[in-house]
Amino acid sequence: PAVSRGALWRLVAPVMLHANLTHLLFNVFFQLRMGFGMEKQFGREKMMMLYFACGLFGNLISVSLDPFKLAVGASTAGFGLIGVWLAEILLSWEVLGPARERTIIWIVFMLISVTTMSSMTPNMDLYGHLGGALGGFLLSIVISDMREEDRPPWYSQARAAAAVGLAACLAGGLGKVLLFSPRDPLPDCPLL
């Protein structure tokens, strides 16, 4: 509800907060595993922009679908890195060649691992995780800069569709949060 009253900083703050030491360590391990390679590939500035944009996007989707959910952690940004990774695989599928089978096995392993760890957490923010992954997927397609010879034939259409999808999700999420979300913490409480 505070976000609907203008506290937009609450869309970024959860990326830097964690519920406990286990939560912090798991997110650090996960993001070091995913993030180092991506930082080498994209560079520090682009990686920081992707990371925080995914966190913001995931938290926006979360608060727009469940405004009373209390959520902390960098998982929205971490799942955004998975979305970036999946978009990269989609765009370079033809280039992967014989590595496709290994890539599919790795994707299945990551999905099982992340789902298992997420389901063991009682207050896991499913909307935030999925929103971060969606944001990372769409944003990375929009800002991708593949070499001309490696681009699939549908590359420009995918970038245009991702831009429209990203804009629609951002506009819809912000519109829902700022215009139609509850503004009071306990909307049906007669005492408050």
Side-chain angles (χ1 to χ4, degrees):
V3 176
S4 66
R5 291 191 311 256
L8 296 178
W9 59 270
R10 291 177 183 255
L11 296 175
V12 178
V15 174
M16 295 170 256
L17 302 172
H18 289 83
N20 55 40
L21 184 61
T22 304
H23 186 209
L24 174 67
L25 292 176
F26 179 75
N27 277 339
V28 167
F29 170 75
F30 176 79
Q31 289 166 22
L32 288 175
R33 177 72 180 109
M34 293 291 292
F36 274 146
M38 286 185 182
E39 187 173 350
K40 285 180 188 174
Q41 179 181 354
F42 297 127
R44 179 174 289 154
E45 290 79 21
K46 193 181 240 186
M47 181 64 186
M48 285 176 54
M49 185 275 302
L50 277 169
Y51 185 80
F52 281 106
C54 290
L56 185 139
F57 194 88
N59 289 326
L60 175 63
I61 296 298
S62 175
V63 78
S64 67
L65 295 176
D66 189 0
F68 294 108
K69 179 77 173 179
L70 296 176
V72 295
S75 300
T76 53
F79 272 76
L81 297 182
I82 292 175
V84 169
W85 183 56
L86 291 174
E88 183 179 5
I89 290 169
L90 174 72
L91 291 174
S92 60
W93 187 252
E94 296 302 319
V95 180
L96 287 174
R100 289 182 191 152
E101 183 178 313
R102 192 176 66 217
T103 302
I104 293 293
I105 291 170
W106 182 245
I107 290 171
V108 170
F109 171 75
M110 286 298 292
L111 290 174
I112 290 171
S113 299
V114 168
T115 305
T116 301
M117 290 302 292
S118 295
S119 65
M120 292 177 359
T121 307
N123 291 326
M124 189 260 317
D125 186 8
L126 179 64
Y127 297 135
H129 289 177
L130 295 177
L134 177 65
F137 183 80
L138 295 175
L139 185 60
S140 65
I141 291 174
V142 169
I143 67 170
S144 67
D145 52 355
M146 293 180 73
R147 294 182 306 188
E148 186 75 36
E149 62 270 13
D150 292 335
R151 294 179 181 176
W154 41 267
Y155 180 72
S156 58
Q157 291 89 351
R159 288 183 75 189
V164 168
L166 191 63
C169 287
L170 284 171
L174 280 172
K176 163 82 169 59
V177 167
L178 296 175
L179 300 174
F180 301 110
S181 286
R183 295 192 176 277
D184 297 318
L186 301 170
D188 297 323
C189 182
L191 299 175
L192 300 174

